[in-house]
Amino acid sequence: MVQINIAYKGSLRCEATHEPSGTTLLTDAPKDNQGMGSSFSPTDLLATALGTCMLTIMGIAARTHHLELDGTTVTVEKHMVAQPIRRVGKLAVTITVPHNLSADDKLKLERAALTCPVHQSLHPDVQMPITFNWG
């Protein structure tokens, strides 16, 4: 169990504190939803959580199988929908691994990415097209 403490700071901003480490981050409502867009929005953090989780689980697999992953990048494009309610409709993920790997090693890393806890936790109505670019 990990505890996150969140305080409303006014003007649609919140400060979250990660209890185990004391690290804090600020969120702000996006400009298209009455905010100033001065920081990550809560839905931006959802997109960030997906990308970082996929890359972290790939990192664990790379370590386990002695594969090179340094320099790998992930881009997540968040698309909101308004109907039937405002929510994240699509998280398009592009994972770029700058190393030439065997087909077997690519498959290991792709499977690892798809088993990340965030990916597995998102509702099936959220579209998640995932593209892997190799070498």
Side-chain angles (χ1 to χ4, degrees):
M1 191 267 317
V2 173
Q3 183 171 315
I4 311 295
N5 300 311
I6 304 164
Y8 186 70
K9 297 301 205 177
S11 300
L12 307 179
R13 293 189 182 110
C14 295
E15 180 179 65
T17 303
H18 179 251
E19 184 66 29
S21 68
T23 301
T24 63
L25 62 83
L26 297 173
T27 64
D28 190 10
K31 288 182 178 182
D32 69 349
N33 200 28
Q34 302 182 29
M36 295 179 58
S38 66
S39 187
F40 287 93
S41 73
T43 56
D44 292 343
L45 291 178
L46 178 69
T48 303
L50 177 62
T52 58
C53 185
M54 293 178 88
L55 192 52
T56 299
I57 300 302
M58 287 175 68
I60 292 169
R63 180 183 287 172
T64 299
H65 298 287
H66 308 287
L67 303 173
E68 181 62 41
L69 202 62
D70 288 356
T72 298
T73 61
V74 177
T75 301
V76 182
E77 292 180 2
K78 179 191 76 171
H79 301 265
M80 300 295 290
V81 296
Q83 296 297 323
I85 59 171
R86 181 177 168 83
R87 67 173 181 83
V88 175
K90 180 167 79 170
L91 296 168
V93 180
T94 302
I95 300 172
T96 303
V97 181
H99 306 286
N100 292 316
L101 301 172
S102 70
D104 185 51
D105 289 339
K106 290 176 185 178
L107 186 59
K108 288 174 187 172
L109 293 176
E110 288 179 7
R111 286 183 177 159
L114 297 176
T115 63
C116 98
V118 174
H119 184 268
Q120 295 299 311
S121 298
L122 291 171
H123 194 279
D125 286 351
V126 178
Q127 297 173 32
M128 288 182 282
I130 300 166
T131 303
F132 290 89
N133 296 320
W134 299 98

